[in-house]
Amino acid sequence: MDAASHAPDKLSLFDGLSPAEQEQFRRTGKKRQYKKGDTIYLHGDKAKYFFIVTHGAIRLHRETPEGKEVTLHIAIVGDTMGDHELFESKSNYQASATASEPSQLYEFPLGWMRDQLREHPTLALNMLAYLSRNGRTSDRDKEHLFTLKTPQRVGCFLMQLCALHQFNPARFTLPYSKSTIASKLGMEPESFSRALSKLKEIGVSITGNNVSISDMHRLDSFVCGSCSLSQDCETCEKLHSHT
Amino acid sequence: MDAASHAPDKLSLFDGLSPAEQEQFRRTGKKRQYKKGDTIYLHGDKAKYFFIVTHGAIRLHRETPEGKEVTLHIAIVGDTMGDHELFESKSNYQASATASEPSQLYEFPLGWMRDQLREHPTLALNMLAYLSRNGRTSDRDKEHLFTLKTPQRVGCFLMQLCALHQFNPARFTLPYSKSTIASKLGMEPESFSRALSKLKEIGVSITGNNVSISDMHRLDSFVCGSCSLSQDCETCEKLHSHT
DNA sequence: CGGTCCCTTGATAAACATCAAATGCAGTGG
DNA sequence: CCACTGCATTTGATGTTTATCAAGGGACCG
């Protein structure tokens, strides 16, 4: 997957737009580079820009008054940032955004983006499909929080990684730090670490950042045996279609 | 708030549509009545209809293979059902829908609704705003699951009830059963019950289904003191604007 | 009056967080 | 190249929260 395939005209949000329209987005959007750890914006900042991730991964997170940090989402290629702020009059960013690895974003003025959505029905429909899909994964995550134990949540996350990035389950590298993953899964780093050691018992070995899933079938039944989606889980389908 | 104010032409989804367009929705939409406990559809059913709630409350829930039931959402007046299925080719309902009180829905064929969204940009934009707002409350709920203890989650839920339904905090009635609320908050009925007794210590008394919040300020600081949104929480703003 | 359902209360257990310390690893400067 | 420092992760010991199990109370309904 090369850089070109992530140019805005290839992102799903721009699917079906005419070349002229796509050119308009290419002209208005500013490409921004961020280093690992860079802050794109802070929770509470006045929302000025809408972003599309073209490379890397951006962590969206908040901090409670008591100092606990919560990772709401990790935005990867094709994901947007600022969608929650697009349609709110009083629009402050609802979370902070930090690059969790070197990343590239397309940046559009928020008001301009609103106008484009009004003027280009196709864009609006793409955005609808995108948000609707977000809702589904959000529901899935909620179910997992309610019903799965930490080793199962970690196991599902590893499967999602393989499905989303087309990693080879037999040998791949974690794209973010373990504490970032722990936070996104709603657990402490210690619990994450212990969950990993439990996963070793079913053939998932992790040394450093290198993961190897020896028996995907075993992991699948360990995780998905407790999930209501097992039948039509998108992650599972992608994994099986690649083998 | 009378029945007429919930006719589809007054729902936010139809805001800004021309009278002629609204008439079209009124003609195609079928009004459906459901009794408490009625099933509207089941998880896995082929998705045929899109719904808008005009009265009552519908519980969206799933069951894991191990028999645990998870409540993903309680849809109330103005909420939609089927939005997650609208843009998916293989569209089975992602959850079951059950009336948790006598309810009324507007029912539209799913494919027809898709077409309407394509043909009426205003409708699509309303839907975008609706989904975007859903995303925000979903983020809030996720943060709460990660950081709040059960009594705080229950406290926030009571505040949300007052804000959403314009209840008088000094005296109102729970609109759903306690176990339904517990499930939506991701806890067992026992934990919910114990959370309530802890809330009594800060002036929230519940006898049967009757709730009385004697000191909203005290509840507010108990709950929102641990929440990153305290500054611009929609629920809090609504509550304060009513006093 | 007896039954069912929902909720509450108490006792116990499991899962996870927290606290504390050790280990490992990467980058820095000698 | 090697010690040194800082940070991330692991591991162990302990505490808290919540789930689970079991029993009892109260309202509604036949």
Short mmCIF file of all heavy atoms in Angstrom, two decimals, chain A residues 46-104:
data_model
loop_
_atom_site.label_atom_id
_atom_site.label_comp_id
_atom_site.label_asym_id
_atom_site.label_seq_id
_atom_site.Cartn_x
_atom_site.Cartn_y
_atom_site.Cartn_z
N LYS A 46 -10.93 25.67 20.37
CA LYS A 46 -11.94 26.02 19.38
C LYS A 46 -11.68 25.18 18.12
O LYS A 46 -10.57 25.16 17.58
CB LYS A 46 -11.86 27.51 19.04
CG LYS A 46 -12.82 27.94 17.95
CD LYS A 46 -13.34 29.36 18.18
CE LYS A 46 -14.33 29.74 17.07
NZ LYS A 46 -15.31 28.65 16.81
N ALA A 47 -12.71 24.49 17.65
CA ALA A 47 -12.54 23.59 16.51
C ALA A 47 -12.46 24.40 15.23
O ALA A 47 -13.43 25.05 14.83
CB ALA A 47 -13.68 22.59 16.45
N LYS A 48 -11.33 24.36 14.57
CA LYS A 48 -11.17 25.14 13.34
C LYS A 48 -11.02 24.26 12.11
O LYS A 48 -11.29 24.67 11.00
CB LYS A 48 -9.94 26.04 13.45
CG LYS A 48 -10.12 27.16 14.46
CD LYS A 48 -8.87 28.02 14.55
CE LYS A 48 -9.08 29.14 15.55
NZ LYS A 48 -7.79 29.73 15.98
N TYR A 49 -10.55 23.03 12.31
CA TYR A 49 -10.24 22.21 11.15
C TYR A 49 -10.87 20.83 11.24
O TYR A 49 -11.10 20.29 12.31
CB TYR A 49 -8.72 22.05 10.99
CG TYR A 49 -8.01 23.36 10.81
CD1 TYR A 49 -7.26 23.93 11.83
CD2 TYR A 49 -8.13 24.05 9.60
CE1 TYR A 49 -6.63 25.15 11.66
CE2 TYR A 49 -7.50 25.27 9.42
CZ TYR A 49 -6.75 25.81 10.46
OH TYR A 49 -6.13 27.02 10.28
N PHE A 50 -11.11 20.33 10.06
CA PHE A 50 -11.56 18.96 9.87
C PHE A 50 -10.38 18.22 9.26
O PHE A 50 -9.69 18.77 8.40
CB PHE A 50 -12.77 18.96 8.92
CG PHE A 50 -13.28 17.61 8.56
CD1 PHE A 50 -14.24 16.99 9.35
CD2 PHE A 50 -12.84 16.97 7.41
CE1 PHE A 50 -14.73 15.74 9.01
CE2 PHE A 50 -13.34 15.72 7.07
CZ PHE A 50 -14.28 15.11 7.87
N PHE A 51 -10.12 16.99 9.71
CA PHE A 51 -8.95 16.28 9.22
C PHE A 51 -9.31 14.92 8.65
O PHE A 51 -10.28 14.29 9.07
CB PHE A 51 -7.97 16.02 10.36
CG PHE A 51 -7.44 17.26 11.03
CD1 PHE A 51 -8.08 17.82 12.13
CD2 PHE A 51 -6.28 17.88 10.56
CE1 PHE A 51 -7.59 18.95 12.75
CE2 PHE A 51 -5.78 19.02 11.18
CZ PHE A 51 -6.44 19.56 12.27
N ILE A 52 -8.49 14.51 7.70
CA ILE A 52 -8.55 13.13 7.23
C ILE A 52 -7.16 12.54 7.36
O ILE A 52 -6.17 13.16 6.94
CB ILE A 52 -9.01 13.06 5.77
CG1 ILE A 52 -10.40 13.70 5.64
CG2 ILE A 52 -9.05 11.62 5.29
CD1 ILE A 52 -10.93 13.69 4.23
N VAL A 53 -7.08 11.40 7.97
CA VAL A 53 -5.78 10.77 8.18
C VAL A 53 -5.35 10.09 6.89
O VAL A 53 -6.11 9.30 6.31
CB VAL A 53 -5.85 9.72 9.31
CG1 VAL A 53 -4.49 9.08 9.54
CG2 VAL A 53 -6.36 10.36 10.60
N THR A 54 -4.14 10.41 6.43
CA THR A 54 -3.64 9.78 5.22
C THR A 54 -2.48 8.83 5.51
O THR A 54 -2.11 8.02 4.67
CB THR A 54 -3.18 10.82 4.18
OG1 THR A 54 -2.28 11.72 4.81
CG2 THR A 54 -4.37 11.61 3.66
N HIS A 55 -1.89 8.97 6.69
CA HIS A 55 -0.78 8.11 7.10
C HIS A 55 -0.67 8.12 8.60
O HIS A 55 -0.91 9.16 9.22
CB HIS A 55 0.55 8.62 6.53
CG HIS A 55 0.91 8.01 5.22
ND1 HIS A 55 1.05 6.65 5.06
CD2 HIS A 55 1.12 8.57 4.00
CE1 HIS A 55 1.35 6.41 3.80
NE2 HIS A 55 1.38 7.55 3.12
N GLY A 56 -0.30 6.99 9.16
CA GLY A 56 -0.03 6.96 10.58
C GLY A 56 -1.24 6.69 11.44
O GLY A 56 -2.20 6.04 10.99
N ALA A 57 -1.21 7.17 12.66
CA ALA A 57 -2.30 6.91 13.61
C ALA A 57 -2.37 8.04 14.62
O ALA A 57 -1.34 8.47 15.16
CB ALA A 57 -2.08 5.58 14.32
N ILE A 58 -3.58 8.51 14.85
CA ILE A 58 -3.79 9.61 15.78
C ILE A 58 -4.66 9.15 16.94
O ILE A 58 -5.74 8.58 16.72
CB ILE A 58 -4.49 10.80 15.11
CG1 ILE A 58 -3.81 11.16 13.79
CG2 ILE A 58 -4.57 11.99 16.05
CD1 ILE A 58 -2.46 11.77 13.94
N ARG A 59 -4.18 9.38 18.12
CA ARG A 59 -4.93 8.98 19.31
C ARG A 59 -5.84 10.12 19.74
O ARG A 59 -5.39 11.26 19.91
CB ARG A 59 -3.93 8.65 20.42
CG ARG A 59 -4.48 7.79 21.53
CD ARG A 59 -3.34 7.22 22.36
NE ARG A 59 -2.54 8.28 22.94
CZ ARG A 59 -2.78 8.79 24.14
NH1 ARG A 59 -3.75 8.33 24.89
NH2 ARG A 59 -2.02 9.76 24.62
N LEU A 60 -7.13 9.84 19.90
CA LEU A 60 -8.08 10.82 20.40
C LEU A 60 -8.36 10.49 21.85
O LEU A 60 -8.78 9.38 22.16
CB LEU A 60 -9.37 10.77 19.59
CG LEU A 60 -9.20 11.17 18.12
CD1 LEU A 60 -10.49 10.93 17.33
CD2 LEU A 60 -8.77 12.62 18.02
N HIS A 61 -8.10 11.45 22.71
CA HIS A 61 -8.16 11.12 24.15
C HIS A 61 -8.59 12.32 24.97
O HIS A 61 -8.56 13.46 24.51
CB HIS A 61 -6.79 10.64 24.62
CG HIS A 61 -5.68 11.60 24.30
ND1 HIS A 61 -5.19 12.49 25.22
CD2 HIS A 61 -4.99 11.83 23.16
CE1 HIS A 61 -4.22 13.21 24.66
NE2 HIS A 61 -4.09 12.83 23.40
N ARG A 62 -8.99 12.03 26.20
CA ARG A 62 -9.41 13.05 27.15
C ARG A 62 -8.78 12.78 28.49
O ARG A 62 -8.35 11.68 28.77
CB ARG A 62 -10.92 12.98 27.37
CG ARG A 62 -11.77 13.42 26.22
CD ARG A 62 -13.20 13.31 26.65
NE ARG A 62 -14.11 13.57 25.57
CZ ARG A 62 -15.33 13.08 25.49
NH1 ARG A 62 -15.77 12.31 26.48
NH2 ARG A 62 -16.12 13.36 24.49
N GLU A 63 -8.77 13.80 29.32
CA GLU A 63 -8.30 13.60 30.68
C GLU A 63 -9.36 14.05 31.65
O GLU A 63 -9.91 15.14 31.53
CB GLU A 63 -6.98 14.37 30.91
CG GLU A 63 -6.33 14.00 32.22
CD GLU A 63 -4.90 14.52 32.29
OE1 GLU A 63 -4.37 14.96 31.25
OE2 GLU A 63 -4.31 14.47 33.38
N THR A 64 -9.67 13.21 32.64
CA THR A 64 -10.65 13.59 33.64
C THR A 64 -10.02 14.56 34.64
O THR A 64 -8.80 14.65 34.74
CB THR A 64 -11.16 12.35 34.41
OG1 THR A 64 -10.10 11.87 35.24
CG2 THR A 64 -11.61 11.27 33.46
N PRO A 65 -10.88 15.29 35.38
CA PRO A 65 -10.35 16.22 36.38
C PRO A 65 -9.43 15.51 37.36
O PRO A 65 -8.52 16.12 37.93
CB PRO A 65 -11.62 16.71 37.09
CG PRO A 65 -12.72 16.52 36.12
CD PRO A 65 -12.34 15.30 35.31
N GLU A 66 -9.66 14.21 37.57
CA GLU A 66 -8.83 13.47 38.54
C GLU A 66 -7.55 12.92 37.92
O GLU A 66 -6.80 12.21 38.57
CB GLU A 66 -9.67 12.33 39.13
CG GLU A 66 -10.69 12.83 40.13
CD GLU A 66 -11.86 11.85 40.28
OE1 GLU A 66 -11.92 10.86 39.52
OE2 GLU A 66 -12.71 12.11 41.15
N GLY A 67 -7.33 13.23 36.64
CA GLY A 67 -6.06 12.89 36.04
C GLY A 67 -6.03 11.57 35.28
O GLY A 67 -4.99 11.18 34.77
N LYS A 68 -7.15 10.90 35.19
CA LYS A 68 -7.18 9.66 34.43
C LYS A 68 -7.29 9.96 32.94
O LYS A 68 -8.12 10.80 32.54
CB LYS A 68 -8.37 8.80 34.85
CG LYS A 68 -8.01 7.65 35.74
CD LYS A 68 -9.15 6.63 35.75
CE LYS A 68 -8.81 5.46 36.64
NZ LYS A 68 -9.93 4.51 36.78
N GLU A 69 -6.50 9.29 32.14
CA GLU A 69 -6.59 9.52 30.71
C GLU A 69 -7.35 8.40 30.03
O GLU A 69 -7.16 7.22 30.32
CB GLU A 69 -5.19 9.63 30.10
CG GLU A 69 -5.19 10.61 28.95
CD GLU A 69 -3.99 10.45 28.07
OE1 GLU A 69 -3.67 9.31 27.69
OE2 GLU A 69 -3.37 11.48 27.76
N VAL A 70 -8.23 8.80 29.12
CA VAL A 70 -9.09 7.86 28.40
C VAL A 70 -8.80 8.00 26.91
O VAL A 70 -8.82 9.10 26.38
CB VAL A 70 -10.57 8.19 28.64
CG1 VAL A 70 -11.46 7.21 27.88
CG2 VAL A 70 -10.89 8.19 30.11
N THR A 71 -8.53 6.90 26.25
CA THR A 71 -8.37 6.94 24.80
C THR A 71 -9.70 6.54 24.16
O THR A 71 -10.17 5.43 24.35
CB THR A 71 -7.27 5.98 24.34
OG1 THR A 71 -6.03 6.42 24.88
CG2 THR A 71 -7.16 5.98 22.81
N LEU A 72 -10.31 7.48 23.44
CA LEU A 72 -11.61 7.21 22.85
C LEU A 72 -11.49 6.47 21.54
O LEU A 72 -12.35 5.66 21.19
CB LEU A 72 -12.35 8.53 22.62
CG LEU A 72 -12.72 9.29 23.89
CD1 LEU A 72 -13.25 10.67 23.54
CD2 LEU A 72 -13.73 8.51 24.70
N HIS A 73 -10.42 6.76 20.81
CA HIS A 73 -10.32 6.20 19.47
C HIS A 73 -8.90 6.33 18.98
O HIS A 73 -8.18 7.23 19.40
CB HIS A 73 -11.27 6.97 18.54
CG HIS A 73 -11.39 6.39 17.17
ND1 HIS A 73 -11.83 5.11 16.94
CD2 HIS A 73 -11.12 6.93 15.95
CE1 HIS A 73 -11.82 4.88 15.64
NE2 HIS A 73 -11.40 5.96 15.02
N ILE A 74 -8.51 5.42 18.11
CA ILE A 74 -7.24 5.59 17.40
C ILE A 74 -7.58 5.70 15.92
O ILE A 74 -8.04 4.73 15.31
CB ILE A 74 -6.28 4.41 17.65
CG1 ILE A 74 -5.95 4.34 19.16
CG2 ILE A 74 -5.00 4.59 16.86
CD1 ILE A 74 -5.07 3.16 19.54
N ALA A 75 -7.40 6.90 15.38
CA ALA A 75 -7.77 7.15 13.98
C ALA A 75 -6.64 6.73 13.07
O ALA A 75 -5.49 7.12 13.27
CB ALA A 75 -8.10 8.62 13.78
N ILE A 76 -6.97 5.91 12.07
CA ILE A 76 -5.95 5.46 11.12
C ILE A 76 -6.33 5.92 9.71
O ILE A 76 -7.31 6.64 9.53
CB ILE A 76 -5.76 3.94 11.17
CG1 ILE A 76 -7.06 3.24 10.79
CG2 ILE A 76 -5.28 3.50 12.54
CD1 ILE A 76 -6.90 1.76 10.55
N VAL A 77 -5.56 5.47 8.74
CA VAL A 77 -5.76 5.90 7.35
C VAL A 77 -7.23 5.84 6.95
O VAL A 77 -7.88 4.80 7.10
CB VAL A 77 -4.94 5.01 6.40
CG1 VAL A 77 -5.24 5.37 4.95
CG2 VAL A 77 -3.46 5.18 6.68
N GLY A 78 -7.73 6.93 6.45
CA GLY A 78 -9.11 6.97 5.99
C GLY A 78 -10.07 7.49 7.05
O GLY A 78 -11.20 7.85 6.72
N ASP A 79 -9.62 7.54 8.29
CA ASP A 79 -10.49 8.06 9.34
C ASP A 79 -10.48 9.58 9.32
O ASP A 79 -9.55 10.22 8.84
CB ASP A 79 -10.02 7.58 10.72
CG ASP A 79 -10.44 6.15 11.01
OD1 ASP A 79 -11.45 5.71 10.40
OD2 ASP A 79 -9.78 5.48 11.81
N THR A 80 -11.55 10.12 9.91
CA THR A 80 -11.64 11.58 9.99
C THR A 80 -11.50 12.03 11.43
O THR A 80 -11.68 11.26 12.37
CB THR A 80 -13.00 12.06 9.47
OG1 THR A 80 -14.02 11.58 10.35
CG2 THR A 80 -13.27 11.56 8.07
N MET A 81 -11.16 13.30 11.60
CA MET A 81 -11.14 13.90 12.92
C MET A 81 -11.86 15.24 12.79
O MET A 81 -11.63 15.97 11.83
CB MET A 81 -9.70 14.14 13.37
CG MET A 81 -8.94 12.85 13.60
SD MET A 81 -7.15 13.04 13.43
CE MET A 81 -6.86 14.48 14.42
N GLY A 82 -12.71 15.50 13.76
CA GLY A 82 -13.49 16.74 13.70
C GLY A 82 -14.91 16.48 13.25
O GLY A 82 -15.71 17.41 13.15
N ASP A 83 -15.25 15.24 12.95
CA ASP A 83 -16.60 14.94 12.49
C ASP A 83 -17.63 15.23 13.59
O ASP A 83 -18.74 15.67 13.30
CB ASP A 83 -16.72 13.50 12.00
CG ASP A 83 -15.92 12.53 12.85
OD1 ASP A 83 -15.80 12.79 14.05
OD2 ASP A 83 -15.42 11.54 12.31
N HIS A 84 -17.24 15.02 14.82
CA HIS A 84 -18.18 15.29 15.92
C HIS A 84 -18.42 16.77 16.12
O HIS A 84 -19.38 17.18 16.75
CB HIS A 84 -17.65 14.68 17.23
CG HIS A 84 -17.73 13.20 17.27
ND1 HIS A 84 -17.30 12.45 18.32
CD2 HIS A 84 -18.19 12.32 16.35
CE1 HIS A 84 -17.50 11.18 18.07
NE2 HIS A 84 -18.02 11.07 16.88
N GLU A 85 -17.52 17.57 15.61
CA GLU A 85 -17.61 19.01 15.83
C GLU A 85 -18.24 19.73 14.64
O GLU A 85 -18.59 20.90 14.73
CB GLU A 85 -16.20 19.58 16.11
CG GLU A 85 -15.58 19.13 17.43
CD GLU A 85 -14.98 17.73 17.36
OE1 GLU A 85 -14.93 17.14 16.26
OE2 GLU A 85 -14.56 17.22 18.42
N LEU A 86 -18.40 19.01 13.53
CA LEU A 86 -18.86 19.64 12.29
C LEU A 86 -20.21 20.34 12.44
O LEU A 86 -20.43 21.41 11.89
CB LEU A 86 -18.99 18.58 11.19
CG LEU A 86 -17.90 18.49 10.15
CD1 LEU A 86 -18.22 17.39 9.18
CD2 LEU A 86 -17.71 19.81 9.43
N PHE A 87 -21.12 19.72 13.17
CA PHE A 87 -22.50 20.19 13.13
C PHE A 87 -22.93 20.83 14.44
O PHE A 87 -24.11 21.02 14.67
CB PHE A 87 -23.42 19.03 12.78
CG PHE A 87 -23.12 18.49 11.42
CD1 PHE A 87 -22.32 17.39 11.27
CD2 PHE A 87 -23.62 19.13 10.30
CE1 PHE A 87 -22.01 16.91 10.00
CE2 PHE A 87 -23.32 18.66 9.04
CZ PHE A 87 -22.52 17.55 8.89
N GLU A 88 -21.97 21.18 15.25
CA GLU A 88 -22.30 21.82 16.51
C GLU A 88 -22.01 23.31 16.41
O GLU A 88 -20.98 23.71 15.91
CB GLU A 88 -21.44 21.19 17.60
CG GLU A 88 -22.11 20.71 18.86
CD GLU A 88 -23.59 20.42 18.77
OE1 GLU A 88 -24.08 19.97 17.71
OE2 GLU A 88 -24.26 20.65 19.78
N SER A 89 -22.95 24.11 16.86
CA SER A 89 -22.72 25.55 16.83
C SER A 89 -21.53 25.90 17.72
O SER A 89 -20.54 26.48 17.26
CB SER A 89 -23.98 26.26 17.32
OG SER A 89 -24.50 25.59 18.45
N LYS A 90 -21.61 25.54 18.96
CA LYS A 90 -20.52 25.80 19.91
C LYS A 90 -19.49 24.69 19.76
O LYS A 90 -19.53 23.67 20.42
CB LYS A 90 -21.07 25.83 21.33
CG LYS A 90 -21.96 24.62 21.64
CD LYS A 90 -22.17 24.41 23.13
CE LYS A 90 -20.94 24.58 23.91
NZ LYS A 90 -20.53 23.41 24.68
N SER A 91 -18.58 24.91 18.86
CA SER A 91 -17.76 23.78 18.47
C SER A 91 -16.35 23.86 19.02
O SER A 91 -15.47 24.44 18.40
CB SER A 91 -17.73 23.68 16.95
OG SER A 91 -17.44 24.94 16.41
N ASN A 92 -16.18 23.28 20.19
CA ASN A 92 -14.84 23.03 20.69
C ASN A 92 -14.54 21.56 20.47
O ASN A 92 -15.44 20.74 20.48
CB ASN A 92 -14.77 23.36 22.18
CG ASN A 92 -14.95 24.83 22.44
OD1 ASN A 92 -15.06 25.63 21.51
ND2 ASN A 92 -15.00 25.21 23.70
N TYR A 93 -13.26 21.26 20.26
CA TYR A 93 -12.92 19.86 20.07
C TYR A 93 -13.31 19.06 21.30
O TYR A 93 -13.11 19.50 22.43
CB TYR A 93 -11.42 19.71 19.80
CG TYR A 93 -11.02 20.14 18.40
CD1 TYR A 93 -10.13 21.17 18.20
CD2 TYR A 93 -11.54 19.48 17.30
CE1 TYR A 93 -9.76 21.56 16.92
CE2 TYR A 93 -11.18 19.86 16.02
CZ TYR A 93 -10.30 20.91 15.83
OH TYR A 93 -9.93 21.29 14.56
N GLN A 94 -13.89 17.91 21.05
CA GLN A 94 -14.42 17.06 22.13
C GLN A 94 -13.35 16.15 22.72
O GLN A 94 -13.63 15.40 23.65
CB GLN A 94 -15.56 16.20 21.58
CG GLN A 94 -16.73 16.99 21.05
CD GLN A 94 -17.55 17.58 22.18
OE1 GLN A 94 -17.93 16.88 23.10
NE2 GLN A 94 -17.81 18.88 22.12
N ALA A 95 -12.16 16.20 22.17
CA ALA A 95 -11.08 15.36 22.68
C ALA A 95 -9.76 15.94 22.19
O ALA A 95 -9.74 16.77 21.27
CB ALA A 95 -11.25 13.92 22.20
N SER A 96 -8.67 15.52 22.79
CA SER A 96 -7.36 15.91 22.30
C SER A 96 -6.91 14.92 21.24
O SER A 96 -7.34 13.77 21.25
CB SER A 96 -6.34 15.90 23.44
OG SER A 96 -6.76 16.75 24.48
N ALA A 97 -6.06 15.39 20.34
CA ALA A 97 -5.55 14.52 19.28
C ALA A 97 -4.04 14.54 19.29
O ALA A 97 -3.42 15.60 19.22
CB ALA A 97 -6.07 14.99 17.92
N THR A 98 -3.44 13.35 19.41
CA THR A 98 -2.00 13.23 19.50
C THR A 98 -1.52 12.15 18.53
O THR A 98 -2.12 11.07 18.49
CB THR A 98 -1.58 12.82 20.93
OG1 THR A 98 -2.21 13.67 21.87
CG2 THR A 98 -0.08 12.87 21.10
N ALA A 99 -0.47 12.45 17.79
CA ALA A 99 0.07 11.45 16.88
C ALA A 99 0.74 10.34 17.68
O ALA A 99 1.61 10.63 18.51
CB ALA A 99 1.07 12.09 15.92
N SER A 100 0.34 9.10 17.46
CA SER A 100 0.99 8.02 18.21
C SER A 100 2.08 7.37 17.36
O SER A 100 2.73 6.44 17.81
CB SER A 100 -0.04 7.00 18.68
OG SER A 100 -0.53 6.27 17.60
N GLU A 101 2.25 7.87 16.16
CA GLU A 101 3.39 7.51 15.32
C GLU A 101 3.51 8.62 14.27
O GLU A 101 2.63 9.46 14.17
CB GLU A 101 3.19 6.15 14.67
CG GLU A 101 1.89 6.01 13.91
CD GLU A 101 1.76 4.65 13.22
OE1 GLU A 101 2.63 4.34 12.38
OE2 GLU A 101 0.81 3.92 13.51
N PRO A 102 4.58 8.66 13.50
CA PRO A 102 4.67 9.70 12.47
C PRO A 102 3.45 9.63 11.57
O PRO A 102 3.10 8.54 11.10
CB PRO A 102 5.95 9.33 11.71
CG PRO A 102 6.75 8.53 12.67
CD PRO A 102 5.75 7.79 13.52
N SER A 103 2.80 10.75 11.35
CA SER A 103 1.51 10.73 10.67
C SER A 103 1.37 11.87 9.68
O SER A 103 2.07 12.88 9.77
CB SER A 103 0.36 10.83 11.67
OG SER A 103 0.41 9.76 12.59
N GLN A 104 0.44 11.68 8.76
CA GLN A 104 0.14 12.73 7.80
C GLN A 104 -1.37 12.93 7.74
O GLN A 104 -2.13 11.96 7.68
CB GLN A 104 0.64 12.32 6.42
CG GLN A 104 0.59 13.46 5.41
CD GLN A 104 0.93 12.95 4.02
OE1 GLN A 104 0.26 12.11 3.46
NE2 GLN A 104 2.00 13.50 3.45
#
